[in-house]
Amino acid sequence: MRSIDIHAHLMPQCLWRTVDAGREWYGTRFEPGEGLGATVTNGRKSRVATPKVRFTPEERLRDMDAQGIDVQVVSIHTPLFGYHLEPARDGNWPATSTTRSPP
């Protein structure tokens, strides 16, 4: 029987590259601090609860294998929802490109 994780979030690698360079990613910035730090989007702070949100696609697949997960249904991490962006523009493409290009 296949194992499907129906609740998996990701934070795109382009976000991490941008905030690691000290810039904002579509209104989101990173603040180092207690634990793994926090993202701040539109003034709302959200702590980074697990190092897994920084996983590359290859790391995600290794983690899935270690847990016996065959498939993940992924969505962008909820604090990053781009309600302030134009629909179907830049807010959705990072997750889409991640899932279309398997390692």
Side-chain angles (χ1 to χ4, degrees):
M1 178 169 31
R2 295 181 78 181
S3 174
I4 301 173
D5 177 356
I6 62 167
H7 187 192
H9 294 281
L10 66 80
M11 295 175 79
Q13 292 300 301
C14 57
L15 171 142
W16 293 114
R17 286 190 299 273
T18 302
V19 298
D20 285 347
R23 298 186 314 269
E24 284 192 3
W25 184 82
Y26 300 103
T28 295
R29 71 180 188 280
F30 178 75
E31 291 184 354
E34 186 177 329
L36 299 171
T39 58
V40 180
T41 304
N42 295 326
R44 296 185 69 188
K45 188 180 245 184
S46 176
R47 73 180 181 88
V48 177
T50 173
K52 290 183 179 190
V53 296
R54 282 196 85 131
F55 277 3
T56 64
E58 296 82 7
E59 291 169 319
R60 180 176 290 274
L61 288 172
R62 282 193 299 273
D63 186 59
M64 288 169 59
D65 288 344
Q67 295 182 64
I69 297 170
D70 298 305
V71 176
Q72 278 186 333
V73 177
V74 295
S75 62
I76 197 156
H77 190 51
T78 53
L80 303 177
F81 284 178
Y83 295 121
H84 62 291
L85 301 174
E86 290 295 315
R89 206 186 109 186
D90 297 324
N92 292 327
W93 73 265
T96 303
S97 64
T98 298
T99 59
R100 286 187 182 155
S101 304

